[in-house]
Amino acid sequence: CYFQIFDAFKSRLHDSNSKVNQVALETMHKMIPLLKDNLSPVINMLIPAMVDNNLNSKNPGIYAAVTNVIQALCQHLDNYLLLQPFCTKAQFLNGKAKQDMTEKLA
């Protein structure tokens, strides 16, 4: 069930329309406290979708939304669920996104 929902939602997280993208990130931020560790089956799919195009965004609304999502993930999910996807992203991202992910890992 989660896979179907989040597979469809994932494409909104990197929509070419920045307003759609930002609203998707803000919605994700609201869902995390409600779903918590129930997100574990889809976390490896969601983190790349959220981080890849958004963490280096020059749009301040998108950048703020994605950093809020990352903070919510850290607050509401067990750290062991986040370790592997955060390590992978920190390894392959560049610029500010790499710095942000490395700080979250630390």
Side-chain angles (χ1 to χ4, degrees):
C1 176
Y2 283 124
F3 280 109
Q4 293 170 330
I5 293 168
F6 284 103
D7 194 41
F9 187 74
K10 179 177 73 168
S11 62
R12 301 291 66 87
L13 292 168
H14 38 105
D15 197 281
S16 60
N17 182 325
S18 62
K19 290 179 183 176
V20 170
N21 193 344
Q22 185 173 340
V23 169
L25 288 164
E26 291 167 353
T27 302
M28 190 71 222
H29 182 251
K30 293 174 186 172
M31 290 190 306
I32 291 168
L34 301 173
L35 297 174
K36 297 182 183 178
D37 288 338
N38 291 321
L39 288 171
S40 63
V42 294
I43 203 69
N44 288 327
M45 168 181 65
L46 282 178
I47 289 176
M50 290 183 286
V51 170
D52 284 350
N53 296 324
N54 300 316
L55 205 51
N56 271 329
S57 178
K58 301 217 185 303
N59 180 318
I62 290 175
Y63 180 77
V66 74
T67 55
N68 287 339
V69 167
I70 292 169
Q71 185 62 36
L73 287 169
C74 293
Q75 286 178 331
H76 297 286
L77 271 71
D78 268 334
N79 287 338
Y80 77 91
L81 292 173
L82 302 174
L83 185 60
Q84 183 60 47
F86 277 19
C87 282
T88 302
K89 288 292 104 191
Q91 183 178 3
F92 294 108
L93 289 171
N94 56 32
K96 181 140 176 60
K98 184 177 192 101
Q99 179 183 343
D100 288 346
M101 291 308 296
T102 303
E103 287 174 7
K104 283 297 171 193
L105 278 167

